[in-house]
Amino acid sequence: ISRNPNDSEAWQFLGMSMISNAEKSCTQNYVKAAISCLERSCKLSPFDARVHNNLGIALQRLLALGENAAFDGDLQKRIGYHFWTAVSILEKSSSAGCDVRFDECSSRLNLGLWFANGDRFREAAMVLDAPCMDVEGSIQDSMTKNEDLKRILSDAAGLRRFCNSKCK
């Protein structure tokens, strides 16, 4: 970073490594520092869906660590904005023919969980009802051989069922 302070990837990797350390030490300072790195990365590469998704995750961690309740509403909006932005970028990338299925499914699951945690079940179900999230239709898809994607699709299907049951 000292050699190239405009390297978005370097800022993102630094932020995510700090998030990993924050999981071990559970301190707000690590999470806040990670958020600063990810925000810098986001400014340098505003159309990188991974940065938006990771920034949403980091902001959720800050909220979970009990960041000042006065900022909860603002943090919630920021979390939703970054997850939604990630999904939007990935939808456009997919429409353009890019193979971003894993990232799109992961980002959709994060956005769906964020909606569901806020008791916004209808919105969560809609986000999780995208064609890329179709477990049954993707059994033949070679990407589903990836165990992580299988887990994401399974988790998303379970969350979608739960949210749909809450909408009735």
Side-chain angles (χ1 to χ4, degrees), residues 25-38:
S25 63
C26 293
T27 67
Q28 286 185 1
N29 290 338
Y30 266 100
V31 177
K32 286 179 180 180
I35 289 169
S36 293
C37 292
L38 292 168

Side-chain angles (χ1 to χ4, degrees), residues 23-134:
E23 288 176 3
K24 295 171 190 157
S25 63
C26 293
T27 67
Q28 286 185 1
N29 290 338
Y30 266 100
V31 177
K32 286 179 180 180
I35 289 169
S36 293
C37 292
L38 292 168
E39 286 173 336
R40 171 77 183 221
S41 179
C42 199
K43 285 179 185 169
L44 293 168
S45 295
F47 300 108
D48 186 337
R50 293 170 306 137
V51 177
H52 284 284
N53 190 57
N54 289 334
L55 187 48
I57 291 168
L59 290 166
Q60 278 185 320
R61 296 246 171 89
L62 184 62
L63 194 62
L65 287 172
E67 180 59 24
N68 188 337
F71 296 106
D72 285 0
D74 180 52
L75 277 177
Q76 287 290 1
K77 288 177 189 172
R78 289 176 62 199
I79 293 164
Y81 167 80
H82 287 291
F83 284 150
W84 188 258
T85 300
V87 168
S88 297
I89 291 168
L90 291 164
E91 282 178 340
K92 290 176 181 135
S93 298
S94 180
S95 295
C98 298
D99 183 10
V100 293
R101 183 160 189 234
F102 180 86
D103 290 331
E104 185 177 357
C105 291
S106 179
S107 293
R108 281 185 176 279
L109 179 57
N110 287 336
L111 181 59
L113 286 166
W114 178 77
F115 276 134
N117 286 333
D119 294 335
R120 296 167 65 182
F121 301 112
R122 190 169 313 282
E123 291 158 296
M126 288 173 53
V127 164
L128 298 170
D129 202 28
C132 77
M133 302 300 282
D134 180 25

